[in-house]
């Protein structure tokens, strides 16, 4: 089935540093979604990208969808301790309605 | 508007015991899902239901059964729990088709000893 691979698995940064996580697929994706899961919490939807080359911003978060629609990235500028958690990308599954989640990137921020 | 609710929040079972995890959503969504998440790992789909009365196996269905009782409720049953089923279980729901975000419940933390 379709898979999305995420790198890195873990990232430790000093507060104020930037952070980027990458999501890659071997096949073209019709859309890509990003979720955040705080420690001990549940995944929460952040954003969806649909168009080739699309860039969306949410305050310090910048989401990009590649031109070929095979990769995506999430960039956080000047991380804060509130950014800690695991960030997942999700692509559409092989059957309608299903999604395929990446394994996530866990971000820790040292104050 | 509670979103997605799950019960119980925590459960400890002995090997061989059975239990049912309950999930309900009040967003009038057709699609509902059960995932498991092992420590430090991603989400693996156990079962999926596109609508009331239909269910479909996901990536890791062995050892589980599901029931889509009505549009609101989707339950997950462990008939004979095994230590390998120790995990956090999340229920989720979404609108129809591709491209709809999933709304997750708070999870059930299950330990099988």
């Amino acid at each position: 089935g379709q898979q999305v691979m995420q790198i890195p698995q873990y990232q430790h940064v000093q507060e104020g540093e930037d952070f980027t996580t990458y999501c890659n697929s071997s096949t073209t994706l019709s859309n890509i979604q990003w979720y955040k899961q705080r420690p001990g919490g549940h995944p929460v939807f952040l954003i969806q990208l649909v168009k080739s080359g699309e860039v969306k911003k949410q305050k310090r978060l910048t989401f990009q969808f590649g031109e070929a629609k095979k990769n995506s990235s999430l960039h956080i500028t000047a991380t804060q301790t509130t950014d800690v958690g695991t960030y997942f990308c999700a692509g559409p599954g092989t059957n309608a309605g299903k999604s395929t989640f990446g394994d996530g990137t866990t971000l820790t921020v040292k104050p | 508007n509670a979103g997605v609710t799950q019960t119980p929040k925590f459960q400890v079972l002995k090997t061989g015991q059975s239990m049912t995890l309950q999930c309900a959503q009040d967003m009038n969504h057709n699609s509902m899902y059960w995932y498991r998440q092992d420590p430090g790992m991603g989400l693996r789909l156990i079962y999926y239901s596109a609508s009331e009365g239909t269910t479909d196996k996901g990536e890791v269905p062995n050892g589980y059964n599901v029931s889509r009782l009505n549009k609101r409720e989707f339950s997950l049953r462990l008939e004979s729990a095994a230590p390998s089923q120790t995990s956090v279980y999340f229920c989720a729901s979404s609108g129809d088709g591709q491209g709809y975000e999933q709304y997750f419940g708070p999870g059930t933390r299950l330990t099988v000893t």
Side-chain angles (χ1 to χ4, degrees):
Chain A
Q2 185 164 277
Q3 287 187 316
V4 288
M5 309 299 292
Q6 258 186 279
I7 54 170
Q9 188 174 6
Y10 300 98
Q11 186 78 56
H12 311 284
V13 300
Q14 193 78 33
E15 189 172 20
E17 291 181 338
D18 291 357
F19 159 77
T20 305
T21 174
Y22 300 90
C23 185
N24 299 298
S25 170
S26 58
T27 58
T28 303
L29 302 170
S30 58
N31 65 79
I32 190 95
Q33 297 177 346
W34 286 92
Y35 293 78
K36 177 183 178 181
Q37 183 178 23
R38 295 182 186 274
H42 60 277
V44 175
F45 174 79
L46 293 176
I47 208 160
Q48 176 172 274
L49 305 172
V50 178
K51 299 177 184 175
S52 169
E54 188 170 14
V55 178
K56 287 189 177 180
K57 292 191 176 184
Q58 291 179 350
K59 296 182 182 178
R60 294 177 295 103
L61 277 61
T62 302
F63 303 84
Q64 291 191 326
F65 202 9
E67 294 289 341
K69 300 181 74 173
K70 288 185 176 182
N71 55 73
S72 182
S73 65
L74 158 58
H75 179 83
I76 302 178
T77 304
T79 55
Q80 300 175 358
T81 54
T82 53
D83 295 325
V84 298
T86 300
Y87 293 85
F88 294 98
C89 63
T94 51
N95 293 335
K98 290 185 185 177
S99 295
T100 301
F101 282 81
D103 284 340
T105 296
T106 299
L107 172 66
T108 55
V109 179
K110 188 174 181 182
Chain B
N1 194 339
V4 180
T5 57
Q6 289 183 239
T7 55
K9 287 195 169 79
F10 300 92
Q11 184 71 50
V12 178
L13 291 177
K14 289 185 168 33
T15 297
Q17 287 184 319
S18 63
M19 79 160 296
T20 300
L21 281 64
Q22 307 286 354
C23 173
Q25 52 92 8
D26 61 3
M27 294 173 283
N28 203 35
H29 286 159
N30 278 321
S31 298
M32 296 187 75
Y33 315 79
W34 276 106
Y35 293 91
R36 62 176 287 173
Q37 184 176 39
D38 299 317
M41 305 217 16
L43 297 157
R44 291 188 290 172
L45 183 66
I46 305 171
Y47 269 95
Y48 157 72
S49 172
S51 62
E52 182 181 349
T54 68
T55 60
D56 195 9
K57 293 180 180 179
E59 184 185 353
V60 288
N62 291 343
Y64 306 95
N65 286 301
V66 289
S67 294
R68 184 72 184 268
L69 304 169
N70 46 56
K71 192 170 186 178
R72 289 188 65 249
E73 298 171 291
F74 189 35
S75 63
L76 178 73
R77 182 159 179 84
L78 286 70
E79 290 291 351
S80 180
S84 60
Q85 294 177 304
T86 293
S87 190
V88 180
Y89 291 85
F90 289 104
C91 176
S93 71
S94 74
D96 295 334
Q98 301 284 2
Y100 284 86
E101 64 263 34
Q102 294 188 27
Y103 295 83
F104 286 80
T108 295
R109 282 148 183 81
L110 175 67
T111 302
V112 183
T113 61

